[in-house]
Amino acid sequence: MFRIHCPHCQEVRSEEEFSYAGEAHIPRPADPSSLSDAEWGEYLHTRTNPRGPHREMWVHTAGCRRYFNVLRDTVSYEILAVYRVGEMPPERGEA
Amino acid sequence: MRGAEPRRMERYSLLGLVRHARHYHENWQRAWRNPEPKKSYDTVIVGGGGHGLATAYYLAKVHGVTDVAVVEKGWLGGGNTGRNTTIVRSNYLRDESSHLYEYSLKLWEGLSQELNFNVMFSPRGVLNLGHTLQEMRDIERRVGANRLNGIEAQVLDPGEINKLVPLMNCAPDSRYPVLGASWQARGGIARHDAVAWGYARSADAHGVDLLQNTEVTGIRCRNGVATGVDTSRGFIAARKVACVAAGNSGVLAAMAGLRLPIESRPLQALVSEPIKPCLDTVVMSNAVHCYISQADKGDLVIGAGTDSYNGYGQRGSFSIIEHTLQAVCELFPAFSRVRMNRHWGGIVDICPDACPIIGETPVRGLYFNCGWGTGGFKATPGSGYVFADTLAHGRPHPLAAPFSLDRFATGALVDEHGAAGVAH
Amino acid sequence: MGGEVRRLAAGGRIDRDQALDFVFNGRALRGFAGDTLASALLANGVDVVGRSFKYGRPRGIVGHGPEEPNAIVEVGTGASRVPNLRATQVELYNGLEARSAGSSVFQRAAGAFGRLLPAGFYYKTFMSSPRAWMAWERVLRHAAGFGNAPDAADPDTYDRMNRHCDVLVIGGGPAGLSAALEAAGWGARVLLADEQSEFGGSLLAETRALGGESAAAWLAGVLAELDASGNVELLPRSMVSGYYDHNFLTIVERRSDHLGPVSAAATRERLHRVRAEQVVLATGAIERPLVFANNDLPGVMLASSVSTYVNRYAVAPGNKLLLFTTNDHGYRTALDWHRIGREVVAIVDVREDPAGAWVESAKASGIDVIGAHAIIEAVGHSRVSGAAIAPLQGNTLVGAPRRLACDLIACSGGWNPTLHLGSQTGVKPRWSESAIAFLPGDLGVGTLCAGAVAGTPALRGCLEQGALAGATAASRAGFGSGRTTRAAPEVDEPPEMPARSLFLVPHPKPVSRAPKQFVDFQLDVTAADIELAAREGYESVEHVKRYTALGFGTDQGKLGNVNGVAILAEALGKDMAEVGTTMYRPSYTPTTFGAIAGRDVGGFFDPERHTPMHGWHTAEGAEWEDVGRWKRPWYYPRPGETMQQAVNRECLAARDGLAIMDASTLGKIDIQGADAAEFLDRIYTTGFRKLGIGRCRYGLMLHEDGTIFDDGVTARLGEDRYLMHTTTGNAEVVFAWLERWHQTEWPELSVYFTSVTDHWATAALVGPKSRTVLAKVCTDIDLTGGAFPFMAVREGHVAGVPARVFRISFSGELSFEVNVPAQHGRAVWDALIDAGAEFDITPYGTETMHVLRAEKGFIIVGQDTDGSTTPADMGMDWAVRRNKPFGFLGDRSLDLSDHLREDRPQLVGLASYDAKTVLPEGGQLVDDPERQPPAPIAGHVTSSYYSARLSRPIALGMVKRGAGRMGETVYCPLADGRVVKASIVDSVFYDPKGERQNV
């Protein structure tokens, strides 16, 4: 039961207000038609799935309904950073 | 391809029990050896869970490949094998999956005898409930498909269901009334640990080395060919490396520079205190999210949902447990006063189509058998069987062929979300 | 009635003015307020409280709290029965009825065959054939399990409360109380939870003075102070069951069980869902029993439990006490026993040369201290009558045993810190050789441990450590400096000499041949079982647990685990740290399902969504269909009508006259912004850029993998404004989908989404008469075909209410969907019904809607499609524009090789040959009905109805290569063996040119 800081609401709220939205930083290919089936399949389905820090998207479903990125350790479940869509994760530490 | 000298496995029986009792049980044979790793093996299986051990057993038994090591970072059966809710059934929707699971179910039916180890397979029947008209259409479709695939199945009405499960709330005015169910009489439950132990004991007897407390730290490849694994006990060379490590597939793949269409998530489960028999079948409801059976020890074994996020922590969020017990109390109002003894999580590898990946990877000699999601336990014998065949021949077993890694490029997904449900 | 033969004449915290009658196993007994069922049973001289699980051995009460393994009882009857309570945790009330849970004839019989039942015996037998196991399983199942589940719905209610606090203190003993005092003193909001009915923990049985006053007086003072402080909340009867990530904890408060069976006034239990800034674990420790032969005889108890019964409940559970200890702490029990004037036979101390203040004090009381000895075997039948003791050197017996007569053996093998909660967070406990115990691991900055759980033995130390933990926690939560503000009370407590460890008491016979030496009482796990497991290769502590069932009971091994680990370590020649312990999981002690489910059952299980016209449908006697969370009218049977008759009538009304349907549940999303058109172009397979204002267009939405996700009609309301309709079930999912793509991929597009599903009520007026009737209540929209064509939208007033009217049709008939603000929905609906009365306006439900659309070959996403269906499969390439500049979601996937396969299932119509049989929905189709399974599947029926308009059945289905198989025959085998023959036909059965809707 995580406590998540919503960077839009600037509040720490309970996990139940949020929804997980998958791995972050998987941009949709600019020109899908130029990709091979394998490349397109990779975009669709392949995921990093790390054991440790994971860059992922969450959405504040029962709050501001906005998406944001989270750097979370998938073993300790510690949230290492929260940052906005379009940004890259800060160096470790800021939450 | 010979491994350690096969040894004569002591046969378990009631008579044996009496004989050993006379000697105060002091002379029981070890169930398996605790060998030192050799420098190299023909095949190294990474993961000593039910699937990995079954693979080793069938490799040795069916294909005569006994120069095999099973490398397990912890204890045998310590992953999802020992954490799941043990439901066994084969009533899947798609031909590809129903053939695979049915093959597995047939192996289950004779497994205790095959292994001379009582895995307590209990074909007490599995009910998959339908609560909406669309669910009933899907059930009708799945049951019909099962029959055409040679899998005995039936659609039951609420009256018939209530006869099988008297404590279930089948009232028409409940929030999501039970409209019917599919019934697979041959489905049931089994004793999860025993499956790992039974396969381990027989594989060991065939000469397979079971290496516990041996963690794989790297997969070595040369020119696109796998050459062995680095472990906490040193490098072990292998002609073939077979990864069967649910909950760690992505981590292992990364060691070989691969990424998989898999996400690892906590799947939670819980048990009640042991109570006297009050539920004689397995009941599964996708709409109400309730998966329940009663173990032989008397505890209600309840599958909860999968957490929505990736995690390797073997624990999940409490809200999942809350939702599950709401569903249990809704469907079984009398269980409200029963108490939860324990809840826990296992890490399941989820594929986009809720189906497994079985076969060789782009790295030659590196095989994966993973992605069984929430339902891998029931597949244990079949998965081991087809994977062993695939490894032995270097080509997919026909039942495994539809589950290759290519399907994520071709789009030939085997969509089983309906039948695989949320869990199990 | 035997009377309270073991009740002391004075003392204890019981209320002797309040006698309580209760029944145990059919015997009427009496106790006092303040008793637990266990203390009352002991007071009444009840020695045997149950039979053991596997061997059917008589068992008595061992402990006094959550560790109790034997006294498992079923309380209450019928619907309010509770199966497996521990008598030590059941507060006595007048009229309580309890029974021993779980003893069965089989178990008594099994005792005779005990030798045949070593650990894991069931893995080695019962498998001559698959059927043999099924027979044996039935027998084993009936032998297993403790109490019976209730047989009817739970009459009680449960509730739930979310809480936030600065410091949660778990455990109201000396350490916890001190922590709460300090934290509260600094101004932190404190929650103090304790599982017992009274706060105080070990202080409730404490005989020494604290700061010059009695423990009871000191306790009362502290509680009064906490109560008065204003920022402390005290939660008694509150068991902290789970410790989850980010300092989320669950507390189960028992609110009414102590009052009697069912209390209508209060919820039975309450689940507190706590988010704590800081947690102080002051959960104490549980005494470790000693493992010796026949140590399960009634009359063998924990030393601390004997003291608790004596001091707190004024019960002496025997007459002649023999104390068996490895440490000084146990001496307290002998001294307590001596104080009440009973005989202490001896203190059997395993230490080589017991000395020090405690030993002196025992000797001063005339107690015989026998050092360097151990009790190797308890003697007796259904209760201890004596013990065999023998001299011990290290772990070896060095002399002949001798017998001492006694009727009570109090054991103290040291202490096991109650570290379960810390372990639940995933942090492994660590073995401490100096404390001879597992201690909590490093729990991080949000958690502190204080008192016995941290391995602190002395009372004064617990008080001090608790205070420091309270101050530190407050400071970490932002209150105060972290320094303690008051001195802990002085306690007259002689120092303790070092304890020694002894986990398995040796016996002259080897473990395998000695009388049973129990490690886990509840599941009958013996030292021999653990050795057997190790011998057979089950070497991991987890294997041993699973092979022998050690620690699997409802006590989760609170007594047995550490001894079990030690015996295993010894058998393997490893040390304790190497073997380690199993992880503890929530719940700390078992938690009622109902308490976790809370209020979200029955009517609150899942909220129902109702449209503004719901009341009207109810009054008309509608049958309901669940669609998502919505309750939608399924059909409206008139008296005496079958469902089919009703649906036929409704269908014909829509085709021939006038019908009306509540379509309010369709998802509606208002989309505005300069880039709205561009955005829609990317989301839908069709194009929306060129759609005229006031016009509508059908769209298909795909997943990125090319499969159909949703469909619906979108209208352009203005230059930069669209209204999207989604299917009822997908409204929320589609809305989230739009937001996701906009926010994460295309934030540069200027577009905004508002879900307006609930803002509007929608009445679909359907049938040839719809225009005429609508005109009666809508005068400011020109409804003629020329002015208001098919697939157009107009704004005006209907029945005097501002309305948006769509000329769209899911039935193929002339149809107007009237949307009005939800609050006017019912009034407008009533006006339409009135206006249509002259044409016998007929309400229809989802079933008729399905028939009408199937006659027209319109698909329903999720019924005719599944998770693998592409637009081409549905013959809907007409709705896919491949040449849009940006493309659309899922576009690329349509070219994947598998999606271009020729033998994919395709949408077709199906007509049964006999023109009578309605194909079953979901029915499978084959080409060769004679073929025995496994038989190749040609396809399946997705939708199937009797069409009243066509006077024959119609069906839609997905058939491999279906589009190219028009006129061919397929067969649908039914469950009863019949086979329905059907021909493949076009999927549009009625009005193929669409003339009826376009008038």
Side-chain angles (χ1 to χ4, degrees), chain C residues 499-737:
Chain C
R500 71 154 279 194
S501 59
L502 182 65
F503 301 105
L504 172 59
V505 179
H507 191 273
K509 292 180 180 172
V511 171
S512 53
R513 302 184 179 212
K516 291 193 164 36
Q517 300 161 307
F518 284 93
V519 179
D520 184 320
F521 297 107
Q522 193 177 83
L523 295 181
D524 272 351
V525 180
T526 65
D529 288 329
I530 294 171
E531 288 198 1
L532 173 65
R535 193 180 311 134
E536 289 193 85
Y538 298 90
E539 296 178 349
S540 152
V541 64
E542 287 285 354
H543 277 164
V544 171
K545 170 183 168 184
R546 288 154 183 270
Y547 192 63
T548 65
L550 170 72
F552 255 112
T554 64
D555 54 353
Q556 285 210 46
K558 290 187 177 69
L559 289 185
N561 267 13
V562 175
N563 285 330
V565 167
I567 292 166
L568 174 65
E570 179 68 32
L572 298 175
K574 293 183 176 177
D575 61 37
M576 290 289 280
E578 211 179 330
V579 172
T581 182
T582 57
M583 296 298 274
Y584 295 97
R585 304 284 176 192
S587 180
Y588 167 63
T589 60
T591 306
T592 308
F593 282 5
I596 297 173
R599 286 274 163 136
D600 298 318
V601 290
F604 301 115
F605 175 62
D606 197 23
E608 286 181 4
R609 294 179 79 180
H610 294 172
T611 75
M613 291 80 100
H614 188 84
W616 190 90
H617 307 315
T618 308
E620 288 295 306
E623 292 289 330
W624 302 97
E625 178 178 1
D626 286 307
V627 185
R629 288 201 166 110
W630 292 98
K631 286 283 177 191
R632 298 195 72 179
W634 188 14
Y635 60 97
Y636 298 81
R638 288 185 180 163
E641 260 183 355
T642 64
M643 175 175 172
Q644 188 63 58
Q645 287 166 336
V647 170
N648 289 351
R649 172 176 52 74
E650 292 172 13
C651 284
L652 291 174
R655 293 272 179 241
D656 296 336
L658 183 62
I660 188 167
M661 186 183 71
D662 182 351
S664 308
T665 63
L666 278 191
K668 294 174 272 292
I669 303 169
D670 194 322
I671 301 173
Q672 300 189 44
D675 296 315
E678 171 64 23
F679 185 86
L680 285 170
D681 264 13
R682 297 179 183 190
I683 289 286
Y684 272 129
T685 57
T686 24
F688 283 84
R689 210 186 290 269
K690 292 180 189 149
L691 184 67
I693 294 172
R695 299 306 302 247
C696 306
R697 181 164 291 161
Y698 174 81
L700 265 183
M701 219 178 271
L702 307 185
H703 287 293
E704 272 283 60
D705 67 4
T707 59
I708 295 175
F709 166 30
D710 200 67
D711 71 343
V713 167
T714 293
R716 189 167 201 170
L717 300 177
E719 181 60 33
D720 295 338
R721 184 173 189 192
Y722 293 80
L723 185 80
M724 173 187 283
H725 286 107
T726 75
T727 58
T728 297
N730 268 344
E732 288 148 59
V733 187
V734 169
F735 183 58
W737 179 252

Side-chain angles (χ1 to χ4, degrees), chain C residues 126-148:
Chain C
F126 306 137
M127 53 182 167
S128 55
S129 72
R131 294 179 72 120
W133 169 243
M134 288 308 281
W136 278 108
E137 186 190 40
R138 200 165 309 125
V139 177
L140 292 181
R141 280 190 73 196
H142 282 271
F146 295 111
N148 292 283

Side-chain angles (χ1 to χ4, degrees), chain C residues 315-649:
Chain C
V315 174
N319 290 305
K320 297 169 70 165
L321 174 102
L322 186 59
L323 176 73
F324 184 16
T325 186
T326 62
N327 59 76
D328 277 356
H329 201 279
Y331 278 65
R332 288 166 169 79
T333 302
L335 294 168
D336 285 337
W337 200 255
H338 178 74
R339 204 189 56 252
I340 59 168
R342 305 256 167 149
E343 182 189 348
V344 178
V345 175
I347 295 175
V348 178
D349 191 327
V350 300
R351 291 174 295 184
E352 204 94 321
D353 187 17
W358 287 95
V359 177
E360 289 317 312
S361 144
K363 286 181 175 165
S365 303
I367 298 172
D368 186 12
V369 177
I370 307 174
H373 271 69
I375 296 181
I376 57 167
E377 187 169 338
V379 179
H381 289 292
S382 58
R383 175 160 184 130
V384 170
S385 61
I389 70 167
L392 180 77
Q393 206 168 65
N395 277 356
T396 317
L397 297 177
V398 291
R402 65 180 157 120
R403 188 170 293 193
L404 296 175
C406 64
D407 67 352
L408 181 63
I409 298 175
C411 302
S412 180
W415 292 83
N416 293 331
T418 308
L419 42 69
H420 306 66
L421 288 169
S423 166
Q424 286 177 16
T425 63
V427 178
K428 282 204 161 130
R430 59 187 171 86
W431 177 254
S432 160
E433 209 50 68
S434 59
I436 319 179
F438 283 103
L439 298 178
D442 179 10
L443 298 173
V445 293
T447 319
L448 293 145
C449 295
V453 68
T456 308
L459 175 55
R460 177 74 199 270
C462 291
L463 293 162
E464 282 172 349
Q465 204 175 36
L468 183 60
T472 309
S475 148
R476 285 186 189 168
F479 299 85
S481 65
R483 255 186 245 124
T484 53
T485 56
R486 54 171 95 195
E490 289 300 326
V491 183
D492 176 24
E493 194 176 25
E496 290 184 8
M497 302 307 281
R500 71 154 279 194
S501 59
L502 182 65
F503 301 105
L504 172 59
V505 179
H507 191 273
K509 292 180 180 172
V511 171
S512 53
R513 302 184 179 212
K516 291 193 164 36
Q517 300 161 307
F518 284 93
V519 179
D520 184 320
F521 297 107
Q522 193 177 83
L523 295 181
D524 272 351
V525 180
T526 65
D529 288 329
I530 294 171
E531 288 198 1
L532 173 65
R535 193 180 311 134
E536 289 193 85
Y538 298 90
E539 296 178 349
S540 152
V541 64
E542 287 285 354
H543 277 164
V544 171
K545 170 183 168 184
R546 288 154 183 270
Y547 192 63
T548 65
L550 170 72
F552 255 112
T554 64
D555 54 353
Q556 285 210 46
K558 290 187 177 69
L559 289 185
N561 267 13
V562 175
N563 285 330
V565 167
I567 292 166
L568 174 65
E570 179 68 32
L572 298 175
K574 293 183 176 177
D575 61 37
M576 290 289 280
E578 211 179 330
V579 172
T581 182
T582 57
M583 296 298 274
Y584 295 97
R585 304 284 176 192
S587 180
Y588 167 63
T589 60
T591 306
T592 308
F593 282 5
I596 297 173
R599 286 274 163 136
D600 298 318
V601 290
F604 301 115
F605 175 62
D606 197 23
E608 286 181 4
R609 294 179 79 180
H610 294 172
T611 75
M613 291 80 100
H614 188 84
W616 190 90
H617 307 315
T618 308
E620 288 295 306
E623 292 289 330
W624 302 97
E625 178 178 1
D626 286 307
V627 185
R629 288 201 166 110
W630 292 98
K631 286 283 177 191
R632 298 195 72 179
W634 188 14
Y635 60 97
Y636 298 81
R638 288 185 180 163
E641 260 183 355
T642 64
M643 175 175 172
Q644 188 63 58
Q645 287 166 336
V647 170
N648 289 351
R649 172 176 52 74

Side-chain angles (χ1 to χ4, degrees), chain C residues 22-359:
Chain C
F22 68 103
V23 175
F24 180 70
N25 285 345
R27 277 175 71 191
L29 301 168
R30 178 168 286 183
F32 292 117
D35 263 327
T36 61
L37 176 58
S39 66
L41 287 172
L42 288 171
N44 283 278
V46 176
D47 292 335
V48 178
V49 293
R51 294 252 161 195
S52 85
F53 174 74
K54 201 158 105 182
Y55 301 120
R57 293 165 70 108
R59 290 285 166 80
I61 292 164
V62 169
H64 65 282
E67 73 284 355
E68 171 58 38
N70 291 333
I72 308 295
V73 296
E74 193 178 287
V75 175
T77 52
S80 58
R81 176 161 60 201
V82 189
N84 294 341
L85 294 177
R86 256 176 283 277
T88 51
Q89 293 182 301
V90 175
E91 288 177 56
L92 201 64
Y93 55 83
N94 211 29
L96 181 143
E97 272 185 56
R99 292 164 293 287
S100 305
S103 54
S104 78
V105 176
F106 171 81
Q107 282 158 39
R108 284 159 205 254
F113 301 102
R115 282 268 289 282
L116 288 180
L117 309 177
F121 71 93
Y122 29 74
Y123 299 122
K124 294 174 176 160
T125 184
F126 306 137
M127 53 182 167
S128 55
S129 72
R131 294 179 72 120
W133 169 243
M134 288 308 281
W136 278 108
E137 186 190 40
R138 200 165 309 125
V139 177
L140 292 181
R141 280 190 73 196
H142 282 271
F146 295 111
N148 292 283
D151 48 19
D154 191 342
D156 274 310
T157 55
Y158 303 83
D159 66 7
R160 186 185 307 172
M161 197 177 265
N162 286 309
R163 287 179 170 275
H164 296 265
C165 64
D166 299 311
V167 179
L168 169 65
V169 180
I170 304 171
L177 291 168
S178 306
L181 273 177
E182 280 292 340
W186 284 111
R189 286 173 308 155
V190 176
L191 203 57
L192 175 60
D194 191 278
E195 64 186 337
Q196 299 199 50
S197 59
E198 287 189 275
F199 285 92
S202 64
L203 295 177
L204 296 170
E206 183 57 68
T207 53
R208 277 162 299 163
L210 278 75
E213 53 185 345
S214 74
W218 185 85
L219 176 60
V222 168
L223 288 172
E225 186 179 342
L226 289 173
D227 209 28
S229 82
N231 51 345
V232 179
E233 189 165 351
L234 299 174
L235 287 176
R237 297 189 178 91
S238 295
M239 185 265 295
V240 180
S241 58
Y243 193 166
Y244 302 88
D245 290 294
H246 299 190
N247 267 8
F248 178 86
L249 298 99
T250 49
I251 304 178
V252 185
E253 180 190 0
R254 304 184 307 280
R255 292 166 60 76
S256 70
D257 270 6
H258 58 290
L259 302 172
V262 178
S263 168
T267 54
R268 180 169 173 243
E269 295 179 9
R270 171 174 292 163
L271 182 78
H272 300 264
R273 308 167 88 249
V274 183
R275 188 73 75 169
E277 291 297 327
Q278 291 286 315
V279 171
V280 175
L281 295 173
T283 46
I286 293 170
E287 200 161 39
R288 190 155 60 224
L290 284 156
V291 180
F292 54 93
N294 292 333
N295 60 336
D296 65 326
L297 265 178
V300 179
M301 297 177 73
L302 296 177
S304 57
S305 298
V306 171
S307 283
T308 301
Y309 287 114
V310 168
N311 296 330
R312 180 172 173 189
Y313 300 104
V315 174
N319 290 305
K320 297 169 70 165
L321 174 102
L322 186 59
L323 176 73
F324 184 16
T325 186
T326 62
N327 59 76
D328 277 356
H329 201 279
Y331 278 65
R332 288 166 169 79
T333 302
L335 294 168
D336 285 337
W337 200 255
H338 178 74
R339 204 189 56 252
I340 59 168
R342 305 256 167 149
E343 182 189 348
V344 178
V345 175
I347 295 175
V348 178
D349 191 327
V350 300
R351 291 174 295 184
E352 204 94 321
D353 187 17
W358 287 95
V359 177

Side-chain angles (χ1 to χ4, degrees), chain B residues 25-26 176 296 336 340, chain C residues 137 154 512 535 591 606 921:
Chain B
H25 302 288
E26 287 164 350
Y176 293 108
D296 291 338
S336 166
M340 175 176 80
Chain C
E137 186 190 40
D154 191 342
S512 53
R535 193 180 311 134
T591 306
D606 197 23
E921 286 183 340

Side-chain angles (χ1 to χ4, degrees), chain B residues 12-14 17-18 21-32 34 75-77 82-83 93-95 99 109 112-113 116-118 120-124 131-134 137 140-142 144-145 147-150 167 175-177 191-194 197 212 270 272-280 288 294-298 300 302 314-316 318-319 321-322 325-330 333-344 409-413 415, chain C residues 79-85 102 115-116 118 121-127 129-130 133-134 137 141-156 158 160 244-245 248 250 268 271 273 425 512-513 532 535-540 542-543 546-547 552-554 556 585-587 590-594 596-597 600-602 605-608 625-626 628-629 631 634 850 862-863 866-868 896-899 921-922 924 926 933-935 937 940 942 975:
Chain B
Y12 290 157
S13 67
L14 185 58
L17 207 57
V18 174
R22 287 219 312 272
H23 299 100
Y24 302 90
H25 302 288
E26 287 164 350
N27 304 321
W28 285 102
Q29 191 186 48
R30 278 183 73 96
W32 48 77
N34 199 356
W75 36 284
L76 299 176
R83 292 168 192 276
L93 171 64
R94 309 280 175 188
D95 295 351
H99 291 151
E109 285 166 343
S112 295
Q113 291 71 38
N116 179 237
F117 199 99
N118 190 354
M120 304 186 191
F121 174 59
S122 168
R124 51 179 70 179
H131 299 270
T132 65
L133 298 176
Q134 185 55 42
R137 289 179 199 111
E140 192 73 46
R141 177 183 176 194
R142 186 161 46 77
R147 283 219 198 87
L148 289 172
N149 280 315
L167 285 179
R175 177 66 184 91
Y176 293 108
R191 173 85 181 103
H192 52 21
D193 295 323
W197 299 339
Q212 297 186 75
L270 63 105
S272 76
E273 299 179 298
I275 49 180
K276 289 292 175 199
C278 59
L279 176 63
D280 297 331
V288 176
Q294 188 174 20
D296 291 338
K297 281 194 300 159
L300 298 171
I302 296 168
Q314 294 193 333
R315 59 188 190 276
F318 183 67
S319 47
I321 300 297
E322 290 178 305
L325 287 173
Q326 285 153 12
V328 169
C329 292
E330 177 69 9
F335 288 168
S336 166
R337 295 175 94 86
V338 173
R339 301 192 300 170
M340 175 176 80
N341 205 13
R342 269 196 319 276
H343 75 83
W344 66 90
T410 63
L413 304 192
D415 175 54
Chain C
S80 58
R81 176 161 60 201
V82 189
N84 294 341
L85 294 177
R115 282 268 289 282
L116 288 180
F121 71 93
Y122 29 74
Y123 299 122
K124 294 174 176 160
T125 184
F126 306 137
M127 53 182 167
S129 72
W133 169 243
M134 288 308 281
E137 186 190 40
R141 280 190 73 196
H142 282 271
F146 295 111
N148 292 283
D151 48 19
D154 191 342
D156 274 310
Y158 303 83
R160 186 185 307 172
Y244 302 88
D245 290 294
F248 178 86
T250 49
R268 180 169 173 243
L271 182 78
R273 308 167 88 249
T425 63
S512 53
R513 302 184 179 212
L532 173 65
R535 193 180 311 134
E536 289 193 85
Y538 298 90
E539 296 178 349
S540 152
E542 287 285 354
H543 277 164
R546 288 154 183 270
Y547 192 63
F552 255 112
T554 64
Q556 285 210 46
R585 304 284 176 192
S587 180
T591 306
T592 308
F593 282 5
I596 297 173
D600 298 318
V601 290
F605 175 62
D606 197 23
E608 286 181 4
E625 178 178 1
D626 286 307
R629 288 201 166 110
K631 286 283 177 191
W634 188 14
H850 281 200
Q863 176 172 343
D866 61 26
S868 66
L896 293 177
S897 59
D898 194 69
H899 290 165
E921 286 183 340
Q924 293 288 342
V926 294
I937 292 171
H940 73 283
T942 59

